[in-house]
Amino acid sequence: MDGYSWAPHRHFIMKKALALVAALLLAGCSVSGDAGKDTQTLTVAATAIPHAEILKQVKPILAREGVNLQVKVFADYVQPNMQVAEKAIDLNYFQTKPYLDAFNRERGTQLTIVTGVHIEPFGAYSRKYGSIADLPDGASVTLPNDPSNNSRALLLLARNGLISLRDPNDETATLKDITANPKHLAFRPLEAAMLPRTLDEVDLALINTNYALAAGLNPTKNALLIEDRNSPYVNYLVGRPDNKDDPRVQKLAKALTSPEIKAFIERKYQGAVLPAF
């Protein structure tokens, strides 16, 4: 083959080769882009104990299902809801239905329950007295200031005869609904996360179990009063109407209510946290 006849063919072959390389590069970029986009990641806001601890046990279960669970730990009860409502985080796991209902009502959000997971029996604690009977007249009492947990605290006191309420079963009861206070208890509502810090200052503190556990308290041993297994205050996995049926969310719901997680809750918390399924 002479130089004249080879040159056009060589030019044609080179053009085809370059086109093929370009196509491969574009395909490579496309594959790389798709691989880098992790469509199976699921983010969940939670308080540290026990919610984040339980979610940690769920991570390997979800990994086998192809879901990368990312847990964002919060110290308060407001931001986990706001972050989900604003779609910065997919879900949260920390709250009861009365708290969720009050939050939606007050903030105009539409957060919704996905599944119930566990119960944290709410308790009353004291570092000064060994029994409720020892509480003096005029004892100082701290309790949560958010509406649902404030009511929960009052109901616990009422069921144990320390106060009387207008309706002893009203889950929206407030301090204004107290009809009798024979020990003249002096109430001071505070943010729930702060309550363990008040134990050295007050006679009695009513504390959510997640904050009690974080403070090193054992609800089954240290609480002077505690809710029983029939507590209606289940802790829920919560999402939004637009994502509650997402397959990833449903995989998380299934994992959180699996026999494996039930066994973990019972073994780890020894009655301080109870499976709700």
Side-chain angles (χ1 to χ4, degrees):
M1 188 178 289
D2 61 23
Y4 176 79
S5 61
W6 166 242
H9 288 286
R10 182 175 61 183
H11 182 66
F12 175 76
I13 291 170
M14 296 222 17
K15 281 181 70 176
K16 294 290 285 182
L18 287 170
L20 179 61
V21 169
L24 289 172
L25 284 172
L26 284 172
C29 288
S30 176
V31 171
S32 174
D34 289 343
K37 185 179 179 182
D38 186 0
T39 57
Q40 291 299 306
T41 294
L42 193 63
T43 54
V44 184
T47 46
I49 302 174
H51 307 84
E53 292 178 336
I54 294 171
L55 289 168
K56 183 179 179 181
Q57 300 301 309
V58 169
K59 285 190 77 162
I61 300 175
L62 282 189
R64 295 194 292 270
E65 296 282 330
V67 178
N68 173 29
L69 184 66
Q70 293 185 355
V71 181
K72 314 285 187 180
V73 177
F74 289 81
D76 72 304
Y77 288 162
V78 175
Q79 281 305 307
N81 272 342
M82 294 306 300
Q83 294 279 320
V84 173
E86 294 167 0
K87 299 186 178 182
I89 293 177
D90 296 316
L91 307 160
N92 65 51
Y93 169 40
F94 75 96
Q95 65 193 312
T96 64
K97 187 176 184 298
Y99 183 87
L100 175 63
D101 289 345
F103 191 94
N104 278 335
R105 188 167 55 248
E106 292 169 8
R107 304 272 181 155
T109 50
Q110 294 182 320
L111 301 174
T112 185
I113 285 171
V114 177
T115 191
V117 182
H118 73 266
I119 297 167
E120 299 173 17
F122 190 87
Y125 301 82
S126 177
R127 286 202 176 127
K128 297 181 179 180
Y129 303 101
S131 74
I132 286 296
D134 296 333
L135 278 180
D137 188 75
S140 55
V141 179
T142 51
L143 69 173
N145 63 2
D146 65 271
S148 68
N149 284 306
N150 186 269
S151 302
R152 190 176 180 182
L154 295 176
L155 290 172
L156 180 62
L157 293 174
R159 285 167 187 157
N160 286 273
L162 285 170
I163 61 172
S164 295
L165 294 171
R166 188 171 288 108
D167 178 353
N169 298 308
D170 183 6
E171 292 181 354
T172 63
T174 69
L175 291 169
K176 294 179 181 179
D177 294 310
I178 296 175
T179 57
N181 183 5
K183 279 186 174 284
H184 306 100
L185 303 178
F187 294 104
R188 181 155 57 108
L190 295 170
E191 186 180 344
M194 295 177 58
L195 293 170
R197 303 177 206 167
T198 68
L199 280 170
D200 291 327
E201 308 165 10
V202 300
D203 298 310
L204 190 71
L206 289 106
I207 305 174
N208 294 79
T209 292
N210 60 313
Y211 292 131
L213 290 171
L217 297 167
N218 184 326
T220 59
K221 294 179 180 178
N222 302 135
L224 303 188
L225 301 174
I226 194 165
E227 292 172 338
D228 60 24
R229 286 180 173 269
N230 298 317
S231 169
Y233 292 92
V234 174
N235 279 230
Y236 289 94
L237 179 68
V238 169
R240 300 182 304 271
D242 68 287
N243 74 355
K244 67 183 181 67
D245 296 320
D246 185 304
R248 297 168 301 158
V249 173
Q250 291 304 311
K251 286 177 181 179
L252 175 56
K254 183 178 178 181
L256 278 170
T257 54
S258 66
E260 185 176 340
I261 295 305
K262 181 177 182 180
F264 168 77
I265 291 173
E266 291 173 340
R267 181 178 67 253
K268 170 76 173 176
Y269 301 108
Q270 300 291 308
V273 178
L274 304 169
F277 53 92

